[in-house]
mmCIF file with all atom_site columns, all heavy atoms in Angstrom:
data_model
loop_
_atom_site.group_PDB
_atom_site.id
_atom_site.type_symbol
_atom_site.label_atom_id
_atom_site.label_alt_id
_atom_site.label_comp_id
_atom_site.label_asym_id
_atom_site.label_entity_id
_atom_site.label_seq_id
_atom_site.pdbx_PDB_ins_code
_atom_site.Cartn_x
_atom_site.Cartn_y
_atom_site.Cartn_z
_atom_site.occupancy
_atom_site.B_iso_or_equiv
_atom_site.pdbx_formal_charge
_atom_site.auth_seq_id
_atom_site.auth_comp_id
_atom_site.auth_asym_id
_atom_site.auth_atom_id
_atom_site.pdbx_PDB_model_num
ATOM 1   N N   . LEU A 1 18 ? 20.423 258.358 1.395  1.00 95.00 ? 501 LEU A N   1
ATOM 2   C CA  . LEU A 1 18 ? 19.366 259.318 1.076  1.00 95.00 ? 501 LEU A CA  1
ATOM 3   C C   . LEU A 1 18 ? 19.369 259.773 -0.384 1.00 95.00 ? 501 LEU A C   1
ATOM 4   O O   . LEU A 1 18 ? 18.419 260.407 -0.822 1.00 95.00 ? 501 LEU A O   1
ATOM 5   C CB  . LEU A 1 18 ? 19.451 260.515 2.023  1.00 95.00 ? 501 LEU A CB  1
ATOM 6   C CG  . LEU A 1 18 ? 18.985 260.221 3.449  1.00 95.00 ? 501 LEU A CG  1
ATOM 7   C CD1 . LEU A 1 18 ? 19.365 261.358 4.383  1.00 95.00 ? 501 LEU A CD1 1
ATOM 8   C CD2 . LEU A 1 18 ? 17.487 259.956 3.482  1.00 95.00 ? 501 LEU A CD2 1
ATOM 9   N N   . LYS A 1 19 ? 20.403 259.443 -1.134 1.00 94.00 ? 502 LYS A N   1
ATOM 10  C CA  . LYS A 1 19 ? 20.408 259.753 -2.567 1.00 94.00 ? 502 LYS A CA  1
ATOM 11  C C   . LYS A 1 19 ? 19.346 258.949 -3.310 1.00 94.00 ? 502 LYS A C   1
ATOM 12  O O   . LYS A 1 19 ? 18.884 259.363 -4.363 1.00 94.00 ? 502 LYS A O   1
ATOM 13  C CB  . LYS A 1 19 ? 21.782 259.458 -3.178 1.00 94.00 ? 502 LYS A CB  1
ATOM 14  C CG  . LYS A 1 19 ? 22.858 260.411 -2.746 1.00 94.00 ? 502 LYS A CG  1
ATOM 15  C CD  . LYS A 1 19 ? 24.194 260.004 -3.347 1.00 94.00 ? 502 LYS A CD  1
ATOM 16  C CE  . LYS A 1 19 ? 25.314 260.914 -2.864 1.00 94.00 ? 502 LYS A CE  1
ATOM 17  N NZ  . LYS A 1 19 ? 26.617 260.457 -3.367 1.00 94.00 ? 502 LYS A NZ  1
ATOM 18  N N   . ARG A 1 20 ? 18.991 257.756 -2.767 1.00 93.00 ? 503 ARG A N   1
ATOM 19  C CA  . ARG A 1 20 ? 18.062 256.860 -3.456 1.00 93.00 ? 503 ARG A CA  1
ATOM 20  C C   . ARG A 1 20 ? 16.872 256.433 -2.617 1.00 93.00 ? 503 ARG A C   1
ATOM 21  O O   . ARG A 1 20 ? 15.870 255.991 -3.147 1.00 93.00 ? 503 ARG A O   1
ATOM 22  C CB  . ARG A 1 20 ? 18.771 255.568 -3.879 1.00 93.00 ? 503 ARG A CB  1
ATOM 23  C CG  . ARG A 1 20 ? 20.013 255.698 -4.702 1.00 93.00 ? 503 ARG A CG  1
ATOM 24  C CD  . ARG A 1 20 ? 20.693 254.351 -4.765 1.00 93.00 ? 503 ARG A CD  1
ATOM 25  N NE  . ARG A 1 20 ? 22.114 254.220 -4.709 1.00 93.00 ? 503 ARG A NE  1
ATOM 26  C CZ  . ARG A 1 20 ? 22.987 254.861 -3.957 1.00 93.00 ? 503 ARG A CZ  1
ATOM 27  N NH1 . ARG A 1 20 ? 22.615 255.761 -3.127 1.00 93.00 ? 503 ARG A NH1 1
ATOM 28  N NH2 . ARG A 1 20 ? 24.266 254.615 -4.017 1.00 93.00 ? 503 ARG A NH2 1
ATOM 29  N N   . ASP A 1 21 ? 17.032 256.470 -1.295 1.00 95.00 ? 504 ASP A N   1
ATOM 30  C CA  . ASP A 1 21 ? 16.062 255.826 -0.412 1.00 95.00 ? 504 ASP A CA  1
ATOM 31  C C   . ASP A 1 21 ? 15.656 256.738 0.736  1.00 95.00 ? 504 ASP A C   1
ATOM 32  O O   . ASP A 1 21 ? 16.335 257.705 1.040  1.00 95.00 ? 504 ASP A O   1
ATOM 33  C CB  . ASP A 1 21 ? 16.689 254.551 0.177  1.00 95.00 ? 504 ASP A CB  1
ATOM 34  C CG  . ASP A 1 21 ? 17.184 253.586 -0.887 1.00 95.00 ? 504 ASP A CG  1
ATOM 35  O OD1 . ASP A 1 21 ? 16.368 253.168 -1.723 1.00 95.00 ? 504 ASP A OD1 1
ATOM 36  O OD2 . ASP A 1 21 ? 18.389 253.260 -0.893 1.00 95.00 ? 504 ASP A OD2 1
ATOM 37  N N   . SER A 1 22 ? 14.554 256.371 1.395  1.00 96.00 ? 505 SER A N   1
ATOM 38  C CA  . SER A 1 22 ? 14.191 257.074 2.625  1.00 96.00 ? 505 SER A CA  1
ATOM 39  C C   . SER A 1 22 ? 14.875 256.364 3.785  1.00 96.00 ? 505 SER A C   1
ATOM 40  O O   . SER A 1 22 ? 15.165 255.165 3.715  1.00 96.00 ? 505 SER A O   1
ATOM 41  C CB  . SER A 1 22 ? 12.677 257.106 2.811  1.00 96.00 ? 505 SER A CB  1
ATOM 42  O OG  . SER A 1 22 ? 12.181 255.808 3.006  1.00 96.00 ? 505 SER A OG  1
ATOM 43  N N   . LEU A 1 23 ? 15.157 257.087 4.841  1.00 97.00 ? 506 LEU A N   1
ATOM 44  C CA  . LEU A 1 23 ? 15.968 256.564 5.925  1.00 97.00 ? 506 LEU A CA  1
ATOM 45  C C   . LEU A 1 23 ? 15.363 256.930 7.272  1.00 97.00 ? 506 LEU A C   1
ATOM 46  O O   . LEU A 1 23 ? 15.026 258.085 7.518  1.00 97.00 ? 506 LEU A O   1
ATOM 47  C CB  . LEU A 1 23 ? 17.388 257.144 5.827  1.00 97.00 ? 506 LEU A CB  1
ATOM 48  C CG  . LEU A 1 23 ? 18.402 256.722 6.874  1.00 97.00 ? 506 LEU A CG  1
ATOM 49  C CD1 . LEU A 1 23 ? 18.713 255.233 6.746  1.00 97.00 ? 506 LEU A CD1 1
ATOM 50  C CD2 . LEU A 1 23 ? 19.681 257.536 6.721  1.00 97.00 ? 506 LEU A CD2 1
ATOM 51  N N   . THR A 1 24 ? 15.237 255.925 8.139  1.00 97.00 ? 507 THR A N   1
ATOM 52  C CA  . THR A 1 24 ? 14.827 256.126 9.527  1.00 97.00 ? 507 THR A CA  1
ATOM 53  C C   . THR A 1 24 ? 15.949 255.600 10.401 1.00 97.00 ? 507 THR A C   1
ATOM 54  O O   . THR A 1 24 ? 16.388 254.460 10.220 1.00 97.00 ? 507 THR A O   1
ATOM 55  C CB  . THR A 1 24 ? 13.523 255.352 9.845  1.00 97.00 ? 507 THR A CB  1
ATOM 56  O OG1 . THR A 1 24 ? 12.498 255.776 8.947  1.00 97.00 ? 507 THR A OG1 1
ATOM 57  C CG2 . THR A 1 24 ? 13.094 255.569 11.277 1.00 97.00 ? 507 THR A CG2 1
ATOM 58  N N   . CYS A 1 25 ? 16.423 256.417 11.324 1.00 96.00 ? 508 CYS A N   1
ATOM 59  C CA  . CYS A 1 25 ? 17.499 256.011 12.221 1.00 96.00 ? 508 CYS A CA  1
ATOM 60  C C   . CYS A 1 25 ? 16.917 255.691 13.594 1.00 96.00 ? 508 CYS A C   1
ATOM 61  O O   . CYS A 1 25 ? 15.996 256.361 14.066 1.00 96.00 ? 508 CYS A O   1
ATOM 62  C CB  . CYS A 1 25 ? 18.531 257.125 12.340 1.00 96.00 ? 508 CYS A CB  1
ATOM 63  S SG  . CYS A 1 25 ? 19.323 257.501 10.767 1.00 96.00 ? 508 CYS A SG  1
ATOM 64  N N   . PHE A 1 26 ? 17.482 254.653 14.222 1.00 97.00 ? 509 PHE A N   1
ATOM 65  C CA  . PHE A 1 26 ? 16.972 254.190 15.511 1.00 97.00 ? 509 PHE A CA  1
ATOM 66  C C   . PHE A 1 26 ? 18.139 253.666 16.336 1.00 97.00 ? 509 PHE A C   1
ATOM 67  O O   . PHE A 1 26 ? 18.891 252.817 15.861 1.00 97.00 ? 509 PHE A O   1
ATOM 68  C CB  . PHE A 1 26 ? 15.927 253.091 15.275 1.00 97.00 ? 509 PHE A CB  1
ATOM 69  C CG  . PHE A 1 26 ? 15.088 252.744 16.458 1.00 97.00 ? 509 PHE A CG  1
ATOM 70  C CD1 . PHE A 1 26 ? 14.130 253.623 16.929 1.00 97.00 ? 509 PHE A CD1 1
ATOM 71  C CD2 . PHE A 1 26 ? 15.249 251.529 17.099 1.00 97.00 ? 509 PHE A CD2 1
ATOM 72  C CE1 . PHE A 1 26 ? 13.333 253.294 18.013 1.00 97.00 ? 509 PHE A CE1 1
ATOM 73  C CE2 . PHE A 1 26 ? 14.465 251.191 18.197 1.00 97.00 ? 509 PHE A CE2 1
ATOM 74  C CZ  . PHE A 1 26 ? 13.504 252.071 18.653 1.00 97.00 ? 509 PHE A CZ  1
ATOM 75  N N   . LYS A 1 27 ? 18.294 254.169 17.574 1.00 96.00 ? 510 LYS A N   1
ATOM 76  C CA  . LYS A 1 27 ? 19.425 253.778 18.407 1.00 96.00 ? 510 LYS A CA  1
ATOM 77  C C   . LYS A 1 27 ? 19.029 252.892 19.588 1.00 96.00 ? 510 LYS A C   1
ATOM 78  O O   . LYS A 1 27 ? 19.883 252.362 20.264 1.00 96.00 ? 510 LYS A O   1
ATOM 79  C CB  . LYS A 1 27 ? 20.132 255.017 18.955 1.00 96.00 ? 510 LYS A CB  1
ATOM 80  C CG  . LYS A 1 27 ? 20.773 255.879 17.890 1.00 96.00 ? 510 LYS A CG  1
ATOM 81  C CD  . LYS A 1 27 ? 21.629 256.964 18.490 1.00 96.00 ? 510 LYS A CD  1
ATOM 82  C CE  . LYS A 1 27 ? 20.782 258.074 19.051 1.00 96.00 ? 510 LYS A CE  1
ATOM 83  N NZ  . LYS A 1 27 ? 21.571 259.226 19.491 1.00 96.00 ? 510 LYS A NZ  1
ATOM 84  N N   . GLU A 1 28 ? 17.744 252.753 19.845 1.00 95.00 ? 511 GLU A N   1
ATOM 85  C CA  . GLU A 1 28 ? 17.276 251.999 21.004 1.00 95.00 ? 511 GLU A CA  1
ATOM 86  C C   . GLU A 1 28 ? 17.143 250.517 20.680 1.00 95.00 ? 511 GLU A C   1
ATOM 87  O O   . GLU A 1 28 ? 17.151 250.124 19.515 1.00 95.00 ? 511 GLU A O   1
ATOM 88  C CB  . GLU A 1 28 ? 15.922 252.554 21.463 1.00 95.00 ? 511 GLU A CB  1
ATOM 89  C CG  . GLU A 1 28 ? 15.919 254.044 21.733 1.00 95.00 ? 511 GLU A CG  1
ATOM 90  C CD  . GLU A 1 28 ? 16.939 254.467 22.772 1.00 95.00 ? 511 GLU A CD  1
ATOM 91  O OE1 . GLU A 1 28 ? 17.075 253.763 23.800 1.00 95.00 ? 511 GLU A OE1 1
ATOM 92  O OE2 . GLU A 1 28 ? 17.612 255.488 22.568 1.00 95.00 ? 511 GLU A OE2 1
ATOM 93  N N   . LYS A 1 29 ? 16.972 249.715 21.713 1.00 95.00 ? 512 LYS A N   1
ATOM 94  C CA  . LYS A 1 29 ? 16.761 248.281 21.529 1.00 95.00 ? 512 LYS A CA  1
ATOM 95  C C   . LYS A 1 29 ? 15.484 248.085 20.703 1.00 95.00 ? 512 LYS A C   1
ATOM 96  O O   . LYS A 1 29 ? 14.456 248.708 20.971 1.00 95.00 ? 512 LYS A O   1
ATOM 97  C CB  . LYS A 1 29 ? 16.629 247.597 22.886 1.00 95.00 ? 512 LYS A CB  1
ATOM 98  C CG  . LYS A 1 29 ? 16.592 246.103 22.809 1.00 95.00 ? 512 LYS A CG  1
ATOM 99  C CD  . LYS A 1 29 ? 16.642 245.492 24.200 1.00 95.00 ? 512 LYS A CD  1
ATOM 100 C CE  . LYS A 1 29 ? 16.759 243.992 24.099 1.00 95.00 ? 512 LYS A CE  1
ATOM 101 N NZ  . LYS A 1 29 ? 16.941 243.374 25.415 1.00 95.00 ? 512 LYS A NZ  1
#
Side-chain angles (χ1 to χ4, degrees):
L501 287 168
K502 290 177 183 176
R503 306 169 219 41
D504 304 302
S505 65
L506 180 66
T507 303
C508 298
F509 194 71
K510 295 189 284 187
E511 306 303 318
K512 188 173 186 174

